[in-house]
Amino acid sequence: MSLTREDVVQTAHQTEITGRYSEMIAQVALLANGWIPHESRTKEAYDVLATNPETGRAEKIQCKTIRRRTDRGNDLVIYARKGDATTYDLADADWIIGVLADNGEVPRVFILENTCQSEYWSVESRLAANGWRELSIALNRNRAEVQAADIAETRAA
């Protein structure tokens, strides 16, 4: 079977849509969890620069779509390679965010420290044990109010 130009364009377009969707969902999860995301106006190795609510530092985040490996019992994998096939080093990204977007399901978002791997694997039952911290996409207004009060208190001191 040979692919037509139309097939190739449609596949590339779908890949771009899926990647952009994952980036947008990741930003929603970051906001819902107290991070303040910023997008670069220039092309950078990271997708999002976000202020970490725990440290107050701006940190670089690379967003990826999580794949299910049906040939490995539906293990979850984040392929973390740049366009030139190299891994993201710490100058490129502090964090890797994976978005699990199964068809018709509410997406799930996981944040992992960048350990400069080309792939991050986990069995779904061991996500937390493997360093995959789930970020809810549900907004918690109480958390935002507490963080605002903490910031105001810090500035007053």
Side-chain angles (χ1 to χ4, degrees), residues 83-141:
D84 64 2
T86 60
T87 60
Y88 293 94
D89 62 31
L90 295 178
D92 297 324
D94 301 300
W95 300 92
I96 304 291
I97 283 188
V99 177
L100 180 60
D102 289 335
N103 283 337
E105 299 293 324
V106 173
R108 295 175 66 195
V109 180
F110 299 91
I111 188 166
L112 304 89
E113 284 190 54
N114 179 13
T115 55
C116 306
Q117 298 178 74
S118 60
E119 298 177 358
Y120 296 84
W121 287 81
S122 186
V123 176
E124 201 159 352
S125 62
R126 298 208 18 93
L127 292 169
N130 291 331
W132 295 44
R133 192 173 86 203
E134 188 162 7
L135 298 178
S136 173
I137 61 172
L139 180 62
N140 181 339
R141 291 180 187 214

Side-chain angles (χ1 to χ4, degrees), residues 39-59:
E39 276 192 74
S40 175
R41 296 208 184 269
T42 59
K43 194 72 176 157
E44 300 293 342
Y46 59 86
D47 292 317
V48 178
L49 185 68
T51 305
N52 184 328
E54 295 171 8
T55 66
R57 289 185 23 230
E59 300 189 23

Side-chain angles (χ1 to χ4, degrees), residues 20-40:
R20 188 65 182 138
Y21 174 85
S22 291
E23 288 176 24
M24 293 174 82
I25 293 299
Q27 288 188 39
V28 166
L30 288 167
L31 277 169
N33 287 275
W35 293 71
I36 306 300
H38 314 273
E39 276 192 74
S40 175

